[in-house]
């Protein structure tokens, strides 16, 4: 008698656009250690803050919608901090703990001093300053336009270059989360001094796009980034564009959707830049690698700044302009971004299969050494190829 062999379980690997694909593009080896390893990431700063600011903006919107909190600015201690605490708890339950130099973690009895200067908790550390600025700068303009918050997107694509018996699956899943603004809400607020509407109305590509639709109904999709605006010659600049274009493709397949007229990214660190950010902005300005250049006083302050000086006071106008980026929607660019992510998935799948077949982690996954990423990487002590100038050992 012959026994039948149990067939392999049918899996469709599911990739999150930010958590997997963008993370892999940053550094493949780091991605493997962070996301697929049994080693938990100890303190992925970028990851924690990105998740935190996303959560804060969503929760702030819900509170604005459901409670009587229509007046801005919101007070940090009584209105913003409680939201931060909700999000912090939510992230902790997923194993994401705040870096204590970014976020004061003490809000319950029996707290310790930790990294804070004194026991007068809560302290408004970097993450809180940015959360407050994000809510008070964009909340008044953004919240009234939101139609649908935290829309979960999910789609299925053919596995690129599928090979029977070699590939893990013939399909892969792709996921993301966005906020959706609707044309209906935009019309209601069109006579107000809404900054987002003003920026959209001044954009000829947006106007043309809207006119091209059969129906008057359309959408604008939104995402938040807990980082500074990347220089226009950087890979991240393109990756973020692909991300939003792919979101619009995923959105278009949902039944309740209207055509997407534009994508908007918010680079929220621009609202409260710290030393590292100012240094980067200065480099972008000097090399003319940014699409939002400073003028007059702002330009002077940025060009004269050096790391021993205090952080310069930049104008609100400049900071606001740098914190918002519009993404054009057109068929060709959407197809291009989908192909780009197909390639990324193909790469990740190849690495995964190599590792399953016993090639070992370091041989299967490709490091992408780059100073900023390696400096903040938890795995540089055992990475085979870190960027040479990033310190191999850091003392906390
Ligand atoms: S040290 Fe650099 S190259 Fe190595 S895993 Fe970390 S980010 Fe990647
Ligand atoms: Zn504190």
């Amino acid at each position: 008698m012959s026994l039948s062999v149990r067939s392999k379980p049918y899996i469709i690997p599911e990739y999150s656009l930010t958590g997997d694909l963008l993370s892999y593009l940053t550094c493949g080896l780091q991605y493997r250690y962070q996301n697929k390893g049994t080693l938990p990431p100890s303190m992925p700063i970028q990851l924690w803050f990105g998740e935190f600011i996303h959560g804060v903006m969503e929760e702030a919107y819900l509170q604005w919608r459901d409670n009587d909190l229509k007046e801005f600015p919101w007070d940090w201690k009584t209105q913003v901090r409680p939201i931060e605490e909700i999000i912090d708890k939510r992230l902790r339950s997923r194993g994401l703990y705040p870096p204590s130099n970014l976020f004061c973690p003490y809000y319950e009895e029996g707290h310790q001093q930790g990294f804070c200067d004194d026991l007068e908790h809560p302290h408004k550390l970097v993450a809180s300053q940015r959360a407050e600025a994000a809510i008070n700068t964009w909340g008044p303009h953004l919240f009234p336009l939101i139609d649908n918050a935290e829309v979960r997107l999910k789609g299925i694509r053919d596995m690129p270059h599928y090979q029977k018996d070699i590939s893990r699956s013939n399909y892969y899943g792709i996921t993301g989360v966005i906020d959706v603004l609707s044309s209906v809400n935009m019309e209601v607020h069109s006579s107000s001094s809404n900054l987002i509407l003003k920026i959209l109305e001044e954009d000829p590509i947006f106007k043309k796009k809207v006119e091209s639709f059969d129906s008057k109904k359309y959408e604008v999709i939104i995402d938040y980034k807990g980082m500074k605006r990347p220089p226009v010659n950087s890979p991240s600049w393109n990756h973020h564009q692909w991300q939003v274009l792919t979101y619009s493709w995923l959105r278009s397949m949902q039944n309740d959707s209207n055509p997407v007229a534009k994508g908007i990214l918010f680079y929220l660190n621009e609202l409260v830049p710290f030393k590292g950010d100012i240094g980067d902005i200065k480099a972008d300005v000097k090399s003319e690698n940014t699409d939002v250049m400073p003028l007059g006083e702002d330009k002077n302050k940025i060009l004269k700044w050096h790391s021993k000086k205090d952080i310069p006071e930049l104008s609100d106008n400049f900071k606001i302009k740098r914190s918002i980026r519009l993404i054009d929607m057109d068929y060709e660019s959407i197809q291009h971004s989908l192909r780009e992510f197909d390639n990324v998935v193909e790469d990740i799948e190849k690495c995964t299969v190599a590792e399953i077949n016993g090639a070992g982690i370091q041989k299967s996954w490709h490091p992408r050494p780059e100073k900023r990423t390696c400096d903040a990487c938890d795995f540089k002590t055992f990475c085979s190829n870190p960027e040479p100038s990033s310190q191999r050992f850091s003392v906390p």
Side-chain angles (χ1 to χ4, degrees):
M1 189 184 86
S2 65
L3 290 174
S4 63
V5 180
R6 191 157 58 146
S7 60
K8 276 200 271 177
Y10 182 66
I11 51 148
I12 296 183
E14 193 170 279
Y15 290 102
S16 136
L17 263 165
T18 47
D20 294 295
L21 305 186
L22 294 189
S23 194
Y24 176 82
L25 283 167
T26 307
C27 171
L29 187 59
Q30 185 191 51
Y31 164 74
R32 165 62 180 80
Y33 283 133
Q34 255 178 13
N35 287 275
K36 301 256 170 107
T38 44
L39 296 165
S42 64
M43 212 145 277
I45 291 182
Q46 190 66 55
L47 183 62
W48 181 84
F49 185 65
E51 298 272 324
F52 173 79
I53 201 72
H54 225 276
V56 164
M57 291 305 277
E58 304 288 3
E59 186 61 32
Y61 165 71
L62 295 178
Q63 302 225 356
W64 174 89
R65 189 189 66 186
D66 301 338
N67 305 325
D68 214 10
L69 288 171
K70 304 286 187 274
E71 289 287 313
F72 289 94
W74 289 6
D75 173 60
W76 181 69
K77 218 169 196 161
T78 59
Q79 293 174 294
V80 178
R81 179 71 190 180
I83 294 175
E84 297 177 5
E85 291 172 11
I86 294 172
I87 303 306
D88 177 35
K89 283 187 190 139
R90 206 179 285 163
L91 293 181
R92 278 167 199 259
S93 71
R94 290 171 42 202
L96 288 172
Y97 288 82
S100 42
N101 56 342
L102 285 194
F103 182 75
C104 167
Y106 305 111
Y107 39 80
E108 275 152 6
E109 290 305 312
H111 53 232
Q112 319 135 33
Q113 184 161 337
F115 276 76
C116 296
D117 290 341
D118 51 50
L119 286 172
E120 306 277 306
H121 309 293
H123 294 90
K124 205 202 282 184
L125 304 186
V126 188
S128 299
Q129 292 176 34
R130 287 180 170 155
E132 182 191 29
I135 291 174
N136 285 332
T137 305
W138 286 116
H141 305 284
L142 187 60
F143 296 165
L145 306 180
I146 293 183
D147 186 48
N148 222 334
E150 273 207 78
V151 177
R152 299 196 171 266
L153 305 170
K154 194 169 169 171
I156 293 253
R157 291 184 61 76
D158 288 338
M159 182 64 78
H161 300 113
Y162 170 72
Q163 283 174 287
K164 204 169 180 289
D165 300 327
I166 295 177
S167 307
R168 288 197 298 164
S169 171
N170 46 350
Y171 295 107
Y172 77 90
I174 187 160
T175 63
V177 182
I178 49 164
D179 284 353
V180 173
L181 313 185
S182 78
S183 49
V184 179
N185 290 355
M186 291 190 204
E187 228 150 75
V188 172
H189 294 276
S190 64
S191 54
S192 68
S193 54
N194 189 300
L195 192 54
I196 294 173
L197 288 180
K198 194 169 156 265
I199 292 171
L200 286 172
E201 270 154 24
E202 284 169 1
D203 174 30
I205 301 174
F206 171 75
K207 288 198 123 173
K208 224 172 140 194
K209 185 89 200 165
V210 168
E211 280 161 17
S212 75
F213 295 142
D214 298 334
S215 132
K216 276 187 82 180
K217 282 194 183 157
Y218 59 84
E219 297 176 345
V220 171
I221 60 176
I222 303 286
D223 195 24
Y224 311 100
K225 294 271 175 208
M227 58 178 74
K228 116 177 210 304
R229 189 184 198 88
V232 293
N233 62 343
S234 65
S236 309
W237 183 256
N238 295 332
H239 298 164
H240 296 166
Q241 185 200 18
W242 302 343
Q243 181 202 343
V244 175
L245 289 165
T246 302
Y247 283 158
S248 87
W249 175 77
L250 289 167
R251 177 65 182 155
S252 71
M253 289 184 299
Q254 292 181 319
N255 287 333
D256 61 339
S257 70
N258 289 304
V260 178
K262 205 87 190 178
I264 300 180
L265 277 176
F266 289 99
Y267 291 111
L268 295 170
N269 290 15
E270 292 283 349
L271 297 172
V272 186
F274 275 74
K275 280 196 168 179
D277 306 305
I278 298 285
D280 289 344
I281 294 174
K282 180 177 170 180
D284 298 348
V285 170
K286 277 179 92 173
S287 58
E288 297 188 7
N289 274 319
T290 180
D291 58 331
V292 182
M293 290 287 267
L295 301 167
E297 266 300 281
D298 289 327
K299 190 171 178 183
N300 270 336
K301 286 178 184 170
I302 290 171
L303 291 177
K304 284 194 186 130
W305 183 83
H306 57 79
S307 58
K308 297 218 167 56
K309 278 189 168 179
D310 288 341
I311 297 161
E313 273 290 336
L314 302 172
S315 70
D316 285 344
N317 187 25
F318 177 66
K319 288 189 281 192
I320 289 172
K321 267 197 180 147
R322 283 189 59 86
S323 72
I324 183 170
R325 174 181 177 194
L326 303 184
I327 311 278
D328 300 332
M329 294 293 150
D330 63 84
Y331 179 81
E332 264 316 306
S333 317
I334 293 172
Q335 293 306 313
H336 173 75
S337 64
L338 291 169
R339 281 194 300 274
E340 292 288 352
F341 284 128
D342 280 346
N343 293 339
V344 178
V345 168
E346 187 176 358
D347 265 11
I348 299 180
E349 286 291 321
K350 270 188 195 151
C351 301
T352 308
V353 169
E355 191 186 330
I356 291 172
N357 291 336
I361 293 180
Q362 302 239 2
K363 286 224 169 69
S364 309
W365 298 82
H366 318 298
R368 201 186 294 257
E370 200 261 321
K371 174 123 179 70
R372 278 210 126 199
T373 332
C374 295
D375 275 347
C377 178
D378 290 335
F379 313 107
K380 58 176 171 274
T381 44
F382 47 93
C383 172
S384 54
N385 188 24
E387 201 274 337
S389 71
S390 70
Q391 319 151 267
R392 283 191 81 91
F393 299 96
S394 60
V395 182

